[in-house]
Each structure stands twice: as structure tokens, then as C-alpha cells.
Amino acid sequence: MRMLQTAFLVLTTLGTGMASAQDYLRDRAEVETMLSGATLTGVYLRSQSHYVLNFSPDGTLVDAGGAEARWWVNDSGQYCREWSSGRLAGNHACMDLVREGDGIGIYSDGNRVAEGRLAR
């Protein structure tokens, strides 16, 4: 029985890192409303590092260290950002979002790269 429980736990954990394209939020207005004025607190999964992002309604994005970026939502409903300062200055990316209960998952090229919770 214990082996069966362990196998279920492993399969459940593996499943949380995957999302199908049908799970991605695709409504541009919905994603803009969800992010605008919100603070996203979570974990970058590659480095297991904590992050805080503040999404201003004017399209500016600031992380906990004070680095700034411009954010927007493209026509496909992806969250996009381009960093103008900090260690990621010049980095541009558009990512897919998935609602997960009270949180969101962030995907880049189909790979889960971050997760977090939004607060106002």
C-alpha cells in the first residue's frame, strides 16, 4: 500500500509541472485585469529562488530588488516583459499563464518556470 501511495504522489507531482495549451489563459483582457495593480509572489523553479513582482497599471514592472521592466499582454493572452534594469536588463520574454486554484503557473515554451500567488 505504501508503494502505491508513493507512486501516486510521484505521478501527481509530475503532473503539476505540465499544462496543455488548452489550460493557458488566452483572453487578453482577462490577463491584463488579473495582473494590473497586482503583486505576484512566488518561486522561480529553475533556481528555487523567491521573487516578488509588482505590476503597475501603467505597464511598469518592478521586482523586490528594484529592477524595472515594461510589461504587457500580447494578442495571444501571454504575459510579456522586457527588463530595462537589473541583472536581466535587455531580457525579453512572453509566457503563458495557467490558473491553479488561488495561484498561477507560468510557462515558457511549454515548460513550467515559475509559480506564485497574486495579491492586490
Side-chain angles (χ1 to χ4, degrees), residues 23-25 30-31 34 97-105 118:
D23 296 329
Y24 298 146
L25 298 176
E30 177 186 8
V31 175
M34 182 175 68
L97 302 180
V98 175
R99 284 190 192 273
E100 298 174 338
D102 294 337
I104 61 170
L118 289 167

Side-chain angles (χ1 to χ4, degrees), residues 2 10-12 17 22 30 39 47 51 58 61 66 68 79 86 92-94 98 109 111 115 119:
R2 187 162 187 72
V10 167
L11 288 174
T12 302
Q22 69 194 25
E30 177 186 8
T39 298
S47 62
Y51 69 88
D58 69 359
L61 177 67
E68 295 184 1
Y79 145 63
H92 168 271
C94 291
V98 175
D109 296 323
N111 297 308
E115 55 193 31

